[in-house]
C-alpha cells in the first residue's frame, strides 16, 4: 500500500475503483498522466476492491515508471466486495476538498484535469460536476448501437453523456450522469453520506444504481450539478457488452435498480403486465431487425420493473433511505 502522508492534501483527488482489471486500469492511468499539466497538484487514488489478479503489482510498477510533479499516485485495498464499499473506502481514506470519480474502463482526454480545476474555481456555487463521455467506437460494433429514432434502444449498455458545448446547470428532472463521470465536493458527502451499499455492482456483475441514488439524494438536499463540456472521457467498448444476452440482462437489472431507488408504485400494478405483453408481441411480430431488438430491450426493462415492484412488496423499505449509505 502507498499512502498520502501530507498534512494538507491538494484540493482534488481522482478516485479509480477497480476489480481485477489491471490491463484496462493501466490505460486509464496512462490517460490521466498524459492529459497535460493540471497546473496544480492532483492526487490519484486507486481503490483495489477485493482484487485477486496482479492489480496491486501493476499499480506499483506504474507509479515507479511515471514520476510526476503535479500528479501523485497512491492506492489502498478494500476487502469487502462491491463498488459502493470501494467508493466509501475512498471517502474514508481521503481528506481532499473534492473527489473526481473515474471508472477503470474509461480514458480521459487531453485537458481533462485543467478544465475540471478551472470549473471548480469558476463555479464555487456548484457542488457536483459532470462532463462529456462517449463510447470509444472502433468500427467493430454492431449496427444497432448507432440506430436512431424510432429504433434507438432506450437503455444502452455503455455510458453516453453529452449536453452540448455550453456549460450549464442540470435541472432536477433531467437525465443524470453516471458514477464514472462525476466530481463531488466534500460538503455533499458530509451532509448526505456516501454510496448505498445495498446498490451497485459486486465484481463484474451488471447491478448498478448506487450513482443515481446518490445524485438523487444530493438533488433532494438542494445541491447543484453543473455540466462542463471540456471535461471529456471515452469509455472502452468490451465486445461482450455488444452481445444480445448482455444487453438484455443489463436492461433488466438497470430498470430493477431504478425502481428500487425511486418506486413509482408501492408494488406490482396491472400496467406492468400490459407493458410486458405489449413488448413481447411487438418483438414477435417485428419484421425490422432494429425494431425487434428495441422491443426485446424494452421487454427486459419491463420485466426488471416488475421484479423491482415485487421486491418492494416483499420487503418494505428495501429502497435505501436518504443518507443511509454506510462508509468504511
Amino acid at each position: 500500500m502507498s499512502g498520502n502522508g501530507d498534512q494538507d492534501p491538494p484540493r482534488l483527488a481522482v478516485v479509480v475503483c477497480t476489480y481485477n482489471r489491471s490491463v484496462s486500469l493501466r490505460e486509464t492511468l496512462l490517460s490521466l498522466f498524459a492529459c497535460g499539466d493540471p497546473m496544480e497538484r492532483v492526487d490519484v487514488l486507486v481503490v483495489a476492491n477485493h482484487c485477486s489478479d496482479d492489480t496491486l503489482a501493476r499499480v506499483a510498477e506504474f507509479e515507479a515508471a511515471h514520476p510526476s510533479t503535479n500528479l501523485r499516485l497512491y492506492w489502498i485495498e478494500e476487502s469487502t466486495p462491491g463498488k459502493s464499499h470501494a467508493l466509501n473506502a475512498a471517502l474514508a481514506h481521503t481528506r481532499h476538498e473534492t473527489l473526481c470519480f473515474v471508472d477503470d474502463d474509461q480514458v480521459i482526454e487531453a485537458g481533462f484535469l485543467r478544465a475540471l480545476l478551472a470549473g471548480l474555481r469558476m463555479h464555487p456555487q456548484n457542488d457536483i460536476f459532470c462532463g462529456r463521455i462517449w463510447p470509444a467506437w472502433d468500427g467493430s460494433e454492431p449496427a444497432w448501437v448507432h440506430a436512431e429514432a424510432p429504433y434507438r434502444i432506450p437503455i444502452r449498455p455503455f455510458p453516453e453523456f453529452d449536453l452540448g458545448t455550453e456549460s450549464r446547470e442540470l435541472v432536477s428532472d433531467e437525465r443524470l450522469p453516471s458514477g464514472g463521470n462525476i466530481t463531488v465536493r466534500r460538503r455533499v458527502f458530509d451532509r448526505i453520506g456516501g454510496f448505498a451499499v445495498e446498490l451497485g455492482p459486486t465484481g463484474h456483475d451488471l447491478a448498478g444504481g448506487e450513482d443515481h441514488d446518490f445524485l438523487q439524494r444530493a438533488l433532494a438536499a438542494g445541491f447543484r450539478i453543473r455540466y462542463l463540456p471540456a471535461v471529456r472521457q471515452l469509455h472502452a467498448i468490451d465486445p461482450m457488452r455488444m452481445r444480445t444476452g448482455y444487453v438484455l440482462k443489463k436492461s433488466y437489472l438497470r430498470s430493477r435498480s431504478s425502481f428500487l431507488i425511486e418506486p413509482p408504485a408501492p408494488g406490482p400494478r396491472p400496467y406492468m403486465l400490459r407493458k410486458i405483453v405489449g413488448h413481447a408481441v411487438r418483438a414477435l411480430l417485428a419484421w425490422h431487425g432494429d425494431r425487434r431488438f428495441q422491443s426485446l430491450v424494452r421487454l427486459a426493462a419491463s420485466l426488471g420493473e416488475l421484479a423491482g415492484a415485487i421486491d418492494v412488496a416483499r420487503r418494505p423499505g428495501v429502497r435505501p433511505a436518504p443518507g443511509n449509505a454506510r462508509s468504511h
Side-chain angles (χ1 to χ4, degrees), residues 106 131-135 159-162 178 180-181 231 233-235:
Q106 296 172 188
R132 287 169 159 172
I133 184 167
W134 302 309
E160 294 174 292
F161 198 84
D162 188 345
S178 64
N181 180 28
V231 175
Q233 297 186 66
L234 291 174
H235 192 285

Side-chain angles (χ1 to χ4, degrees), residues 111-125:
F112 178 100
L113 292 174
R114 182 180 288 266
L116 179 56
L117 289 165
L120 293 173
R121 285 193 302 271
M122 291 174 60
H123 304 286
Q125 75 280 11

Side-chain angles (χ1 to χ4, degrees), residues 15 17 45 47 76 84-96 98-99 101 184-186 188-190 192-195 214 325-328:
V15 175
C17 297
L45 170 63
V47 184
I76 61 173
S84 291
H85 290 287
L87 292 166
N88 290 336
L91 303 184
H93 284 82
T94 56
R95 295 184 296 109
H96 301 73
T98 308
L99 299 179
F101 298 95
V184 186
R185 297 193 195 269
R186 176 73 62 174
V188 181
F189 299 114
D190 291 343
I192 70 170
F195 296 87
F214 173 80
R326 294 186 292 271
S327 296
H328 296 266

Side-chain angles (χ1 to χ4, degrees), residues 162-175:
D162 188 345
L163 301 181
T165 59
E166 299 297 324
S167 176
R168 64 178 179 85
E169 284 193 6
L170 275 64
V171 297
S172 59
D173 60 348
E174 200 165 8
R175 181 189 170 199

Side-chain angles (χ1 to χ4, degrees), residues 31-314:
S31 71
L32 278 165
F33 278 73
C35 78
D37 185 359
M39 299 184 295
E40 61 185 81
R41 215 189 81 204
V42 174
D43 283 342
V44 179
L45 170 63
V46 172
V47 184
N49 184 211
H50 197 63
C51 291
S52 57
D53 67 351
D54 59 350
T55 290
L56 294 177
R58 298 290 80 79
V59 174
E61 290 177 0
F62 188 96
E63 181 197 35
H66 295 83
S68 172
T69 301
N70 279 1
L71 280 176
R72 187 176 64 174
L73 175 65
Y74 67 109
W75 58 94
I76 61 173
E77 295 182 73
E78 170 52 52
S79 60
T80 305
K83 185 177 180 181
S84 291
H85 290 287
L87 292 166
N88 290 336
L91 303 184
H93 284 82
T94 56
R95 295 184 296 109
H96 301 73
E97 172 194 310
T98 308
L99 299 179
C100 169
F101 298 95
V102 174
D103 284 347
D104 64 356
D105 53 0
Q106 296 172 188
V107 296
I108 67 171
E109 295 197 336
F112 178 100
L113 292 174
R114 182 180 288 266
L116 179 56
L117 289 165
L120 293 173
R121 285 193 302 271
M122 291 174 60
H123 304 286
Q125 75 280 11
N126 292 119
D127 313 286
I128 301 172
F129 298 82
C130 63
R132 287 169 159 172
I133 184 167
W134 302 309
W137 301 128
D138 60 6
S140 64
E141 66 274 4
W144 61 260
V145 303
H146 301 298
E148 297 297 338
Y151 300 134
R152 181 181 174 90
I153 65 170
I155 299 179
R156 296 158 76 77
F158 35 76
E160 294 174 292
F161 198 84
D162 188 345
L163 301 181
T165 59
E166 299 297 324
S167 176
R168 64 178 179 85
E169 284 193 6
L170 275 64
V171 297
S172 59
D173 60 348
E174 200 165 8
R175 181 189 170 199
L176 297 175
S178 64
N181 180 28
I182 59 172
T183 298
V184 186
R185 297 193 195 269
R186 176 73 62 174
R187 63 194 183 217
V188 181
F189 299 114
D190 291 343
R191 181 169 172 187
I192 70 170
F195 296 87
V197 297
E198 297 86 354
L199 299 169
T202 299
H204 293 155
D205 69 23
L206 303 184
E210 82 292 339
D211 45 3
H212 283 192
D213 169 74
F214 173 80
L215 291 173
Q216 287 179 357
R217 286 190 283 123
L219 288 171
F223 292 111
R224 299 157 68 181
I225 304 176
R226 173 164 290 273
Y227 169 71
L228 300 173
V231 175
R232 301 186 303 270
Q233 297 186 66
L234 291 174
H235 192 285
I237 298 301
D238 184 343
M240 185 186 72
R241 294 192 180 200
M242 302 297 103
R243 296 175 182 171
T244 298
Y246 181 100
V247 176
L248 296 180
K249 185 176 181 181
K250 182 68 175 180
S251 183
Y252 170 89
L253 290 172
R254 189 177 295 180
S255 182
R256 178 178 174 272
S257 295
S258 295
F259 195 99
L260 295 178
I261 293 168
E262 193 170 7
R269 289 294 183 267
Y271 78 86
M272 298 177 184
L273 292 176
R274 289 197 297 269
K275 286 168 61 176
I276 290 170
V277 172
H279 293 318
V281 170
R282 281 187 285 273
L284 287 171
L285 299 181
W287 59 269
H288 193 289
D290 285 345
R291 182 175 183 178
R292 182 183 305 109
F293 189 69
Q294 181 195 59
S295 296
L296 288 172
V297 172
R298 290 184 179 275
L299 173 59
S302 296
L303 289 169
E305 181 183 37
L306 178 61
I310 292 171
D311 282 346
V312 169
R314 287 178 175 173

